[in-house]
Amino acid sequence: MTVYEITLKIYIMQDIPIPKIYTELTKYIDSYLAQHAFYREFHEKNLIKGYSFDLPVKIEKGMKAYKSDQIYQFRIRTVDQMLLSYLLEGIADHKTDAVKGLTRTVRQIPNRPIASVHTLTPVVLKNADHKGYWRDCMSFEEFEQELCAGLIRQYEIYTGEQVEKKLPLYDQIELQSKCAVGVPYKGITLLGDKVSMQVSDNETAQKVLYFALANSMGTMGSRGCGFLGYRFV
């Protein structure tokens, strides 16, 4: 398995309030995928997408919106070589009413031992067994268990490999956000958190977290959530 990272330079054609950048980048990627019949169907299915994206990082003090007539960049990661080829083929030429692609570059993230990961965008957990934000319905220990179970489940579904359910993925985990972080989604605001994790050095944990660099942590990587930064050993 190889994680590929595309860096896209984009031109903003109208002011985008910072909270709405999730929606606009999702629209940009989804509308490009929808041009191809296979990926239109792929997008509509409830399955592990195997890709995620982050947000433009150029946020200045007091900034409330991504400004029109400005150039920013963000990243898309994937482990799917066919999806990678399709993205490289034309996403840099794609545009919506708010975002226009300019250039793209691609690199491979080395499959090396990972010391730690941290979320650059908030982790959101969507679980049918719990309603609402996790802090209102479960303990931190339960949150840890749900987070790790999700990482393992997504890896298993995508790869077809079976993973020991009680496999230790981390030696230490920490909440980096003192309070919930809002993420706009389909007319509502979901609540998420920033998390850091010291990754266990067992082989399977390393495989699961390497896959998560592309697929994200949590349940909404293809909506811009749970995108991971990392540090190698």
Side-chain angles (χ1 to χ4, degrees):
M1 179 185 296
T2 302
V3 175
Y4 299 93
E5 181 178 275
I6 301 171
T7 299
L8 271 164
K9 285 190 177 181
I10 54 173
Y11 177 76
I12 301 296
M13 295 187 289
Q14 57 183 257
D15 287 0
I16 303 173
I18 287 175
K20 291 188 177 181
I21 194 66
Y22 292 93
T23 302
E24 293 300 336
L25 291 183
T26 296
K27 180 180 176 182
Y28 177 74
I29 295 170
D30 286 356
S31 60
Y32 176 70
L33 294 180
Q35 293 179 355
H36 190 292
F38 175 83
Y39 288 110
R40 183 166 58 250
E41 184 178 354
F42 166 83
H43 166 65
E44 292 171 353
K45 288 182 177 179
N46 183 21
L47 46 74
I48 306 302
K49 297 297 192 287
Y51 78 89
S52 62
F53 66 90
D54 68 349
L55 307 181
V57 295
K58 187 180 176 182
I59 299 180
E60 301 165 353
K61 187 176 180 180
M63 178 177 164
K64 295 182 179 180
Y66 292 93
K67 297 293 186 180
S68 63
D69 298 326
Q70 296 293 315
I71 294 173
Y72 300 90
Q73 68 180 35
F74 75 103
R75 295 170 292 180
I76 304 173
R77 292 190 191 140
T78 184
V79 292
D80 186 324
Q81 291 190 357
M82 191 168 76
L83 176 59
L84 173 72
S85 295
Y86 180 60
L87 291 170
L88 293 178
E89 182 180 301
I91 196 167
D93 300 317
H94 184 59
K95 69 176 181 178
T96 62
D97 55 354
V99 177
K100 175 180 172 56
L102 296 176
T103 64
R104 77 337 179 240
T105 58
V106 63
R107 73 181 187 101
Q108 296 182 16
I109 295 180
N111 195 346
R112 293 168 46 192
I114 302 169
S116 63
V117 295
H118 57 280
T119 52
L120 298 174
T121 58
V123 170
V124 173
L125 291 182
K126 293 173 64 180
N127 188 311
D129 296 332
H130 302 286
K131 294 184 178 181
Y133 179 46
W134 73 268
R135 292 186 200 238
D136 298 329
C137 58
M138 66 175 84
S139 66
F140 182 65
E141 182 178 355
E142 290 172 319
F143 170 76
E144 293 178 62
Q145 293 171 352
E146 187 71 27
L147 195 63
C148 289
L151 286 167
I152 291 172
R153 182 169 58 250
Q154 291 177 54
Y155 176 82
E156 287 182 327
I157 292 171
Y158 194 86
T159 64
E161 298 178 18
Q162 292 297 306
V163 175
E164 180 187 344
K165 298 306 178 187
K166 295 184 179 180
L167 175 79
L169 293 183
Y170 61 86
D171 298 323
Q172 182 178 344
I173 187 171
E174 184 178 351
L175 281 175
Q176 298 294 304
S177 50
K178 294 182 179 179
C179 58
V181 182
V183 179
Y185 178 69
K186 292 185 177 180
I188 62 173
T189 299
L190 300 176
L191 299 178
D193 292 273
K194 297 289 189 71
V195 176
S196 65
M197 184 183 287
Q198 302 296 317
V199 182
S200 294
D201 62 2
N202 70 78
E203 182 180 356
T204 306
Q206 289 287 324
K207 287 181 179 179
V208 171
L209 267 300
Y210 183 70
F211 173 69
L213 295 183
N215 194 65
S216 85
M217 182 180 289
T219 54
M220 295 181 60
S222 62
R223 309 294 91 178
C225 298
F227 189 89
L228 292 175
Y230 58 89
R231 183 173 63 83
F232 290 129
V233 173

mmCIF file of all heavy atoms in Angstrom, residues 136-163:
data_model
loop_
_atom_site.group_PDB
_atom_site.id
_atom_site.type_symbol
_atom_site.label_atom_id
_atom_site.label_comp_id
_atom_site.label_asym_id
_atom_site.label_seq_id
_atom_site.Cartn_x
_atom_site.Cartn_y
_atom_site.Cartn_z
ATOM 1 N N ASP A 136 -21.311 14.336 25.320
ATOM 2 C CA ASP A 136 -22.624 14.335 25.970
ATOM 3 C C ASP A 136 -23.174 12.933 26.198
ATOM 4 O O ASP A 136 -24.219 12.780 26.841
ATOM 5 C CB ASP A 136 -23.633 15.125 25.121
ATOM 6 C CG ASP A 136 -23.237 16.588 24.967
ATOM 7 O OD1 ASP A 136 -22.618 17.127 25.896
ATOM 8 O OD2 ASP A 136 -23.535 17.164 23.906
ATOM 9 N N CYS A 137 -22.500 11.909 25.665
ATOM 10 C CA CYS A 137 -23.093 10.567 25.755
ATOM 11 C C CYS A 137 -22.097 9.458 26.045
ATOM 12 O O CYS A 137 -22.494 8.295 26.137
ATOM 13 C CB CYS A 137 -23.872 10.244 24.471
ATOM 14 S SG CYS A 137 -22.870 10.313 22.967
ATOM 15 N N MET A 138 -20.804 9.765 26.184
ATOM 16 C CA MET A 138 -19.840 8.715 26.518
ATOM 17 C C MET A 138 -18.638 9.294 27.245
ATOM 18 O O MET A 138 -18.393 10.513 27.211
ATOM 19 C CB MET A 138 -19.393 7.951 25.263
ATOM 20 C CG MET A 138 -18.593 8.750 24.264
ATOM 21 S SD MET A 138 -17.959 7.741 22.858
ATOM 22 C CE MET A 138 -19.366 7.723 21.780
ATOM 23 N N SER A 139 -17.892 8.422 27.912
ATOM 24 C CA SER A 139 -16.679 8.823 28.607
ATOM 25 C C SER A 139 -15.526 8.940 27.618
ATOM 26 O O SER A 139 -15.628 8.491 26.472
ATOM 27 C CB SER A 139 -16.321 7.787 29.673
ATOM 28 O OG SER A 139 -15.970 6.554 29.062
ATOM 29 N N PHE A 140 -14.400 9.513 28.074
ATOM 30 C CA PHE A 140 -13.233 9.604 27.201
ATOM 31 C C PHE A 140 -12.717 8.213 26.855
ATOM 32 O O PHE A 140 -12.272 7.967 25.724
ATOM 33 C CB PHE A 140 -12.125 10.436 27.849
ATOM 34 C CG PHE A 140 -10.914 10.601 26.975
ATOM 35 C CD1 PHE A 140 -10.996 11.305 25.785
ATOM 36 C CD2 PHE A 140 -9.690 10.028 27.317
ATOM 37 C CE1 PHE A 140 -9.887 11.449 24.949
ATOM 38 C CE2 PHE A 140 -8.584 10.176 26.503
ATOM 39 C CZ PHE A 140 -8.677 10.887 25.317
ATOM 40 N N GLU A 141 -12.785 7.279 27.808
ATOM 41 C CA GLU A 141 -12.362 5.910 27.534
ATOM 42 C C GLU A 141 -13.207 5.299 26.424
ATOM 43 O O GLU A 141 -12.682 4.625 25.527
ATOM 44 C CB GLU A 141 -12.464 5.055 28.795
ATOM 45 C CG GLU A 141 -11.989 3.623 28.594
ATOM 46 C CD GLU A 141 -12.060 2.799 29.866
ATOM 47 O OE1 GLU A 141 -12.392 3.361 30.927
ATOM 48 O OE2 GLU A 141 -11.788 1.587 29.799
ATOM 49 N N GLU A 142 -14.503 5.532 26.448
ATOM 50 C CA GLU A 142 -15.388 5.031 25.398
ATOM 51 C C GLU A 142 -15.083 5.709 24.062
ATOM 52 O O GLU A 142 -15.141 5.085 23.000
ATOM 53 C CB GLU A 142 -16.846 5.252 25.782
ATOM 54 C CG GLU A 142 -17.315 4.377 26.932
ATOM 55 C CD GLU A 142 -18.693 4.758 27.425
ATOM 56 O OE1 GLU A 142 -18.992 5.976 27.521
ATOM 57 O OE2 GLU A 142 -19.483 3.843 27.716
ATOM 58 N N PHE A 143 -14.758 7.008 24.119
ATOM 59 C CA PHE A 143 -14.376 7.745 22.914
ATOM 60 C C PHE A 143 -13.125 7.130 22.291
ATOM 61 O O PHE A 143 -13.063 6.914 21.071
ATOM 62 C CB PHE A 143 -14.128 9.210 23.274
ATOM 63 C CG PHE A 143 -13.506 10.026 22.173
ATOM 64 C CD1 PHE A 143 -14.259 10.462 21.094
ATOM 65 C CD2 PHE A 143 -12.167 10.380 22.224
ATOM 66 C CE1 PHE A 143 -13.688 11.226 20.074
ATOM 67 C CE2 PHE A 143 -11.585 11.142 21.213
ATOM 68 C CZ PHE A 143 -12.350 11.562 20.146
ATOM 69 N N GLU A 144 -12.108 6.818 23.123
ATOM 70 C CA GLU A 144 -10.897 6.169 22.635
ATOM 71 C C GLU A 144 -11.218 4.848 21.952
ATOM 72 O O GLU A 144 -10.712 4.554 20.852
ATOM 73 C CB GLU A 144 -9.937 5.885 23.799
ATOM 74 C CG GLU A 144 -9.340 7.093 24.476
ATOM 75 C CD GLU A 144 -8.450 6.674 25.630
ATOM 76 O OE1 GLU A 144 -7.445 5.981 25.372
ATOM 77 O OE2 GLU A 144 -8.760 7.010 26.778
ATOM 78 N N GLN A 145 -12.049 4.045 22.616
ATOM 79 C CA GLN A 145 -12.410 2.741 22.070
ATOM 80 C C GLN A 145 -13.134 2.880 20.733
ATOM 81 O O GLN A 145 -12.867 2.135 19.791
ATOM 82 C CB GLN A 145 -13.284 1.984 23.075
ATOM 83 C CG GLN A 145 -12.552 1.592 24.352
ATOM 84 C CD GLN A 145 -13.477 1.036 25.418
ATOM 85 O OE1 GLN A 145 -14.705 1.071 25.287
ATOM 86 N NE2 GLN A 145 -12.906 0.524 26.496
ATOM 87 N N GLU A 146 -14.048 3.846 20.659
ATOM 88 C CA GLU A 146 -14.802 4.074 19.419
ATOM 89 C C GLU A 146 -13.878 4.541 18.304
ATOM 90 O O GLU A 146 -13.986 4.098 17.153
ATOM 91 C CB GLU A 146 -15.888 5.118 19.683
ATOM 92 C CG GLU A 146 -16.836 5.333 18.539
ATOM 93 C CD GLU A 146 -17.779 4.156 18.336
ATOM 94 O OE1 GLU A 146 -18.058 3.439 19.302
ATOM 95 O OE2 GLU A 146 -18.213 3.970 17.190
ATOM 96 N N LEU A 147 -12.949 5.420 18.632
ATOM 97 C CA LEU A 147 -12.009 5.951 17.646
ATOM 98 C C LEU A 147 -11.133 4.830 17.078
ATOM 99 O O LEU A 147 -10.979 4.694 15.857
ATOM 100 C CB LEU A 147 -11.145 7.022 18.307
ATOM 101 C CG LEU A 147 -10.338 7.948 17.398
ATOM 102 C CD1 LEU A 147 -11.253 8.781 16.528
ATOM 103 C CD2 LEU A 147 -9.434 8.842 18.244
ATOM 104 N N CYS A 148 -10.572 3.996 17.963
ATOM 105 C CA CYS A 148 -9.690 2.916 17.525
ATOM 106 C C CYS A 148 -10.463 1.840 16.773
ATOM 107 O O CYS A 148 -9.975 1.311 15.766
ATOM 108 C CB CYS A 148 -8.971 2.317 18.726
ATOM 109 S SG CYS A 148 -7.730 3.426 19.419
ATOM 110 N N ALA A 149 -11.665 1.511 17.260
ATOM 111 C CA ALA A 149 -12.479 0.513 16.567
ATOM 112 C C ALA A 149 -12.790 0.981 15.156
ATOM 113 O O ALA A 149 -12.786 0.184 14.204
ATOM 114 C CB ALA A 149 -13.774 0.263 17.344
ATOM 115 N N GLY A 150 -13.048 2.283 14.997
ATOM 116 C CA GLY A 150 -13.322 2.836 13.670
ATOM 117 C C GLY A 150 -12.124 2.750 12.746
ATOM 118 O O GLY A 150 -12.250 2.404 11.563
ATOM 119 N N LEU A 151 -10.932 3.054 13.267
ATOM 120 C CA LEU A 151 -9.713 2.967 12.461
ATOM 121 C C LEU A 151 -9.483 1.534 11.981
ATOM 122 O O LEU A 151 -9.165 1.299 10.808
ATOM 123 C CB LEU A 151 -8.511 3.445 13.277
ATOM 124 C CG LEU A 151 -8.402 4.949 13.517
ATOM 125 C CD1 LEU A 151 -7.369 5.244 14.599
ATOM 126 C CD2 LEU A 151 -8.042 5.687 12.236
ATOM 127 N N ILE A 152 -9.659 0.575 12.897
ATOM 128 C CA ILE A 152 -9.463 -0.834 12.541
ATOM 129 C C ILE A 152 -10.525 -1.293 11.554
ATOM 130 O O ILE A 152 -10.226 -1.968 10.560
ATOM 131 C CB ILE A 152 -9.469 -1.706 13.811
ATOM 132 C CG1 ILE A 152 -8.212 -1.436 14.638
ATOM 133 C CG2 ILE A 152 -9.560 -3.187 13.451
ATOM 134 C CD1 ILE A 152 -8.202 -2.097 16.004
ATOM 135 N N ARG A 153 -11.787 -0.930 11.806
ATOM 136 C CA ARG A 153 -12.894 -1.352 10.932
ATOM 137 C C ARG A 153 -12.705 -0.835 9.519
ATOM 138 O O ARG A 153 -12.891 -1.580 8.541
ATOM 139 C CB ARG A 153 -14.211 -0.850 11.520
ATOM 140 C CG ARG A 153 -15.456 -1.259 10.730
ATOM 141 C CD ARG A 153 -16.722 -0.944 11.513
ATOM 142 N NE ARG A 153 -16.831 0.463 11.866
ATOM 143 C CZ ARG A 153 -16.713 0.935 13.114
ATOM 144 N NH1 ARG A 153 -16.477 0.116 14.129
ATOM 145 N NH2 ARG A 153 -16.826 2.227 13.357
ATOM 146 N N GLN A 154 -12.315 0.426 9.374
ATOM 147 C CA GLN A 154 -12.142 0.997 8.047
ATOM 148 C C GLN A 154 -10.968 0.339 7.313
ATOM 149 O O GLN A 154 -11.034 0.106 6.103
ATOM 150 C CB GLN A 154 -11.948 2.509 8.163
ATOM 151 C CG GLN A 154 -13.216 3.219 8.615
ATOM 152 C CD GLN A 154 -13.028 4.714 8.808
ATOM 153 O OE1 GLN A 154 -12.577 5.408 7.905
ATOM 154 N NE2 GLN A 154 -13.368 5.212 9.981
ATOM 155 N N TYR A 155 -9.898 0.042 8.055
ATOM 156 C CA TYR A 155 -8.757 -0.646 7.447
ATOM 157 C C TYR A 155 -9.167 -2.035 6.967
ATOM 158 O O TYR A 155 -8.828 -2.451 5.855
ATOM 159 C CB TYR A 155 -7.620 -0.755 8.465
ATOM 160 C CG TYR A 155 -6.423 -1.535 7.982
ATOM 161 C CD1 TYR A 155 -5.455 -0.926 7.191
ATOM 162 C CD2 TYR A 155 -6.263 -2.876 8.312
ATOM 163 C CE1 TYR A 155 -4.353 -1.642 6.728
ATOM 164 C CE2 TYR A 155 -5.170 -3.598 7.860
ATOM 165 C CZ TYR A 155 -4.212 -2.971 7.076
ATOM 166 O OH TYR A 155 -3.133 -3.688 6.618
ATOM 167 N N GLU A 156 -9.919 -2.761 7.801
ATOM 168 C CA GLU A 156 -10.349 -4.108 7.442
ATOM 169 C C GLU A 156 -11.251 -4.096 6.209
ATOM 170 O O GLU A 156 -11.087 -4.921 5.302
ATOM 171 C CB GLU A 156 -11.104 -4.743 8.609
ATOM 172 C CG GLU A 156 -10.228 -5.154 9.776
ATOM 173 C CD GLU A 156 -11.024 -5.826 10.877
ATOM 174 O OE1 GLU A 156 -12.209 -5.448 11.078
ATOM 175 O OE2 GLU A 156 -10.474 -6.715 11.545
ATOM 176 N N ILE A 157 -12.210 -3.181 6.182
ATOM 177 C CA ILE A 157 -13.152 -3.118 5.059
ATOM 178 C C ILE A 157 -12.418 -2.805 3.767
ATOM 179 O O ILE A 157 -12.662 -3.416 2.722
ATOM 180 C CB ILE A 157 -14.255 -2.077 5.329
ATOM 181 C CG1 ILE A 157 -15.164 -2.552 6.476
ATOM 182 C CG2 ILE A 157 -15.092 -1.822 4.076
ATOM 183 C CD1 ILE A 157 -16.140 -1.495 6.955
ATOM 184 N N TYR A 158 -11.487 -1.868 3.828
ATOM 185 C CA TYR A 158 -10.816 -1.436 2.603
ATOM 186 C C TYR A 158 -9.822 -2.486 2.103
ATOM 187 O O TYR A 158 -9.723 -2.726 0.895
ATOM 188 C CB TYR A 158 -10.096 -0.108 2.819
ATOM 189 C CG TYR A 158 -9.681 0.552 1.525
ATOM 190 C CD1 TYR A 158 -10.564 1.381 0.836
ATOM 191 C CD2 TYR A 158 -8.427 0.326 0.969
ATOM 192 C CE1 TYR A 158 -10.203 1.966 -0.373
ATOM 193 C CE2 TYR A 158 -8.061 0.901 -0.237
ATOM 194 C CZ TYR A 158 -8.951 1.724 -0.903
ATOM 195 O OH TYR A 158 -8.585 2.291 -2.095
ATOM 196 N N THR A 159 -9.079 -3.112 3.034
ATOM 197 C CA THR A 159 -8.009 -4.026 2.627
ATOM 198 C C THR A 159 -8.459 -5.481 2.572
ATOM 199 O O THR A 159 -7.816 -6.305 1.908
ATOM 200 C CB THR A 159 -6.813 -3.938 3.593
ATOM 201 O OG1 THR A 159 -7.220 -4.389 4.897
ATOM 202 C CG2 THR A 159 -6.292 -2.510 3.669
ATOM 203 N N GLY A 160 -9.537 -5.818 3.294
ATOM 204 C CA GLY A 160 -9.956 -7.217 3.379
ATOM 205 C C GLY A 160 -9.173 -8.018 4.395
ATOM 206 O O GLY A 160 -9.411 -9.213 4.578
ATOM 207 N N GLU A 161 -8.227 -7.382 5.102
ATOM 208 C CA GLU A 161 -7.446 -8.060 6.137
ATOM 209 C C GLU A 161 -8.196 -8.038 7.467
ATOM 210 O O GLU A 161 -8.959 -7.120 7.744
ATOM 211 C CB GLU A 161 -6.087 -7.374 6.317
ATOM 212 C CG GLU A 161 -5.208 -7.407 5.079
ATOM 213 C CD GLU A 161 -3.890 -6.679 5.292
ATOM 214 O OE1 GLU A 161 -3.513 -6.452 6.466
ATOM 215 O OE2 GLU A 161 -3.240 -6.324 4.296
ATOM 216 N N GLN A 162 -7.968 -9.057 8.286
ATOM 217 C CA GLN A 162 -8.556 -9.117 9.615
ATOM 218 C C GLN A 162 -7.533 -8.657 10.649
ATOM 219 O O GLN A 162 -6.365 -9.039 10.594
ATOM 220 C CB GLN A 162 -9.011 -10.541 9.938
ATOM 221 C CG GLN A 162 -10.189 -11.012 9.092
ATOM 222 C CD GLN A 162 -11.435 -10.172 9.322
ATOM 223 O OE1 GLN A 162 -11.893 -10.002 10.452
ATOM 224 N NE2 GLN A 162 -11.990 -9.621 8.245
ATOM 225 N N VAL A 163 -7.993 -7.838 11.584
ATOM 226 C CA VAL A 163 -7.126 -7.271 12.612
ATOM 227 C C VAL A 163 -7.661 -7.684 13.984
ATOM 228 O O VAL A 163 -8.871 -7.688 14.203
ATOM 229 C CB VAL A 163 -7.086 -5.726 12.512
ATOM 230 C CG1 VAL A 163 -6.288 -5.126 13.659
ATOM 231 C CG2 VAL A 163 -6.493 -5.303 11.172
#
